[in-house]
Amino acid sequence: MLYTELLRLWDEAVQAVDAKDWQGALTKLKEITEPTSRTLFNTASTHLSLGQLDLALKALDLTIAKDERLAVGFFQRAAVMMQLDRLEEALSDCIWAQKHMRGNMVIDYRQLGLRFKLYSWQVLYNAAAVYCRMGQWEQAKEVLLSASQERGGGRGGNIDVALDSVLKEEVLAPLLVPEGVVFRPRKQDVEQLQQRDFLGKAKVISSMIPNDDFGGFEPLRLQKPGFYEPKVDGAQDSRYMRMQGPYMARGPDQLTVPGGAMVFLFGEEDRNGMATVIYDGQRGLLPISLLEPAEVKTTKGKKENRVPNGIPLPPGLKPPTRPQAQPRAVRFTSDTPPPSYTTATHAPLPASEPPKYAANATSDQHASSAQGAEADSVVLKVHYTYTVALSVPLDTPYHELKERIAQKLGQPASHLRLRHKQHGSRVLIPLGGEVEPGHSLQEVAEAGRATLWCQTEDPLANRTILYQMVALYDYAAQGPEDLEFSEGNTIDILGEVNEEWLEGHCAGNIGIFPSCFAYRENTDIIQSSEL
């Protein structure tokens, strides 16, 4: 059970006790699932107020079980035992109460929330009451005489009256904690139960906008750099005033304005002959006698003639860009690809030997290149999230090839996009004949082998690809608007955000990324490699 919930129920039960609502107090106390010794003592006191001695005794048993050194608990239970004629047990509780007094004349329970002081003579008085009920009058007399010698206040004439009653062999009534006196929670803890607004309501103290008393939240509004001037009607064009002479501020709310300066009359004249004006972005008071209307001529379409006095807006600064590691400047030539490029399928050819393509090779070249593979089939390697290899006929059309790859990968053919690289280039070029008939695998095969790159993506709708770039490094998305890609991926550029950021498309995702993470390969490289 939460301590805050315990405090709330405990406090509500105490308030019911103060209002003499005993049943209401019991209802609140029963809702406490993990009672303490003090709340159980309150339950026993409430049962005693209702005259329910058996229930009060059970609650006191639980109280002493929770706190075995609670002297006031033994004192209260001894009094209940006497009323139930369980005299031996009542005498035992008096002895235990006296023992837990630990030689003190009095114990003040106010520190624990009980407005009651337990005196040693009160415990002895109850012990004498037990002896009276047992018929042991001499023992009762001796206990009362010892109680009369105890120090401490609060006795009054109770001991003397009790001695007279014992001499007359009259039974003494037991002493109890007064009705309505219960353990109370700490006031500081109860005050903490109420929610507090430590921040309070926002209040505008200083604002550059006149009559700005808005204290809530609203989305950011676009503002243009320049000067904000309060809007006025056409009949109030003369609210621009000119100073007839200089004026030095003589109070905390007044302004210092040189002669001939133009100000904006913001408020009306007050009883002291001062008017509220705006000058150089500040609002203050000036004598109305020093102001004269100023003629402001404005030409349509020419904002340079406007009076530049008013409330300045925040400067239009360019937002800071994200800190990015600057890559080393690498110059690429037509013969050398970027340094991070690794050739997956093509082996380097000697400079004196031109590349041989299977599509336009002679019969002798076919015979020499078919040593590692059959003449009518090609070993096709497809790079996906994983790499797969399959053997397909050389004359397989592109649309059939795409169906076989989709079946191998377990993906719909409409969501696959096949690309290949030209020799000596890093750019992934889409297969142009996926739809058009007459194009087969032999256009991209070389020496009985072919390599394709496959990406799963939805087709772009209503977007134009400006150009393509190759990723130089891996880029992890820093936010939901970023485009994540890996080194070597081909990125379709859809737009340029600014000089440092681009909007692109890769693997079915659209987002922005730093331009320094990608490399736009020059088309001259492809042309030179083909020559």
Side-chain angles (χ1 to χ4, degrees), residues 333-337 355 357 420-430 468 470 519-531:
T333 63
S334 59
D335 298 329
T336 305
Y357 295 94
H420 74 283
K421 291 182 180 179
Q422 294 186 0
H423 186 69
S425 172
R426 294 192 60 203
V427 178
L428 292 175
I429 303 175
Q468 292 181 333
V470 180
Y519 162 72
R520 183 177 181 182
E521 190 168 8
N522 194 348
T523 56
D524 295 339
I525 299 178
I526 302 175
Q527 296 175 0
S528 62
S529 62
E530 293 177 351
L531 298 175

Side-chain angles (χ1 to χ4, degrees), residues 279-341:
Y279 171 71
D280 196 18
Q282 297 180 353
R283 184 170 62 180
L285 299 176
L286 287 177
I288 194 66
S289 59
L290 295 179
L291 302 178
E292 62 177 2
E295 296 182 0
V296 181
K297 297 182 180 180
T298 58
T299 305
K300 294 183 179 180
K302 295 183 179 180
K303 297 183 179 180
E304 292 78 12
N305 295 333
R306 297 184 62 186
V307 180
N309 289 324
I311 305 174
L313 288 174
L317 299 179
K318 183 180 179 181
T321 57
R322 297 179 183 174
Q324 301 290 343
Q326 297 295 334
R328 294 183 303 172
V330 181
R331 295 182 179 178
F332 302 108
T333 63
S334 59
D335 298 329
T336 305
S340 61
Y341 172 66

Side-chain angles (χ1 to χ4, degrees), residues 26-240:
L26 284 176
T27 302
K28 294 297 181 182
L29 291 170
K30 289 180 181 178
E31 293 180 9
I32 300 177
T33 57
E34 298 178 4
T36 63
S37 60
R38 289 181 284 180
T39 59
L40 290 170
F41 185 90
N42 293 355
T43 304
S45 300
T46 307
H47 283 302
L48 284 176
S49 301
L50 294 173
Q52 302 171 352
L53 297 179
D54 294 334
L55 296 177
L57 182 60
K58 293 181 180 180
L60 286 172
D61 291 341
L62 296 174
T63 301
I64 295 174
K66 289 282 186 180
D67 190 352
E68 297 179 353
R69 291 174 176 79
L70 189 62
V72 69
F74 287 100
F75 173 77
Q76 190 81 336
R77 191 172 69 170
V80 176
M81 291 286 191
M82 279 189 281
Q83 298 181 33
L84 294 174
D85 291 333
R86 298 169 63 173
L87 302 180
E88 294 293 339
E89 296 173 333
L91 184 60
S92 176
D93 282 345
C94 290
I95 295 173
W96 279 108
Q98 187 68 20
K99 180 180 179 180
H100 291 307
M101 292 287 292
R102 297 183 295 275
N104 297 313
M105 295 295 103
V106 61
I107 295 180
D108 191 354
Y109 285 95
R110 285 183 297 180
Q111 294 182 356
L112 297 179
L114 183 67
R115 300 170 183 173
F116 178 75
K117 293 182 180 180
L118 178 62
Y119 291 92
S120 177
W121 67 266
Q122 291 177 327
V123 179
L124 296 175
Y125 182 96
N126 277 0
V130 175
Y131 284 122
C132 290
R133 283 173 168 74
M134 291 180 176
Q136 301 177 11
W137 302 103
E138 290 297 329
Q139 291 288 343
K141 181 179 178 181
E142 292 179 2
V143 172
L144 288 176
L145 289 176
S146 62
S148 63
Q149 297 176 1
E150 292 282 347
R151 299 178 181 178
R155 289 179 298 180
N158 294 330
I159 301 297
D160 297 334
V161 174
L163 283 173
D164 294 338
S165 299
V166 170
L167 293 177
K168 297 177 182 179
E169 296 186 356
E170 295 178 356
V171 178
L172 300 178
L175 298 179
L176 289 163
V177 177
E179 181 181 286
V181 178
V182 293
F183 282 98
R184 300 172 180 271
R186 293 179 56 192
K187 183 178 179 181
Q188 296 87 339
D189 294 343
V190 175
E191 291 177 352
Q192 294 296 328
L193 294 177
Q194 300 178 359
Q195 296 183 355
R196 295 183 179 182
D197 186 7
F198 293 97
L199 297 179
K201 185 178 179 181
K203 181 181 179 181
V204 177
I205 298 177
S206 177
S207 176
M208 303 179 71
I209 302 177
N211 296 335
D212 187 5
D213 57 352
F214 181 75
F217 295 93
E218 64 177 358
L220 296 177
R221 294 170 292 183
L222 297 177
Q223 297 179 343
K224 297 180 179 179
F227 289 88
Y228 170 81
E229 298 177 359
K231 296 181 179 180
V232 296
D233 299 333
Q236 297 179 342
D237 292 340
S238 61
R239 296 189 69 86
Y240 283 99

Side-chain angles (χ1 to χ4, degrees), residues 447-492:
R449 298 177 181 271
T451 304
L452 298 178
W453 280 260
C454 179
Q455 293 179 346
T456 303
E457 56 188 13
D458 296 330
L460 293 174
N462 300 326
R463 299 302 298 270
T464 302
I465 299 177
L466 302 180
Y467 51 90
Q468 292 181 333
M469 300 183 72
V470 180
L472 286 172
Y473 314 97
D474 294 342
Y475 179 69
Q478 305 297 323
E481 71 280 0
D482 288 5
L483 178 64
E484 187 170 352
F485 50 82
S486 302
E487 177 184 353
N489 286 357
T490 299
I491 306 171
D492 300 327

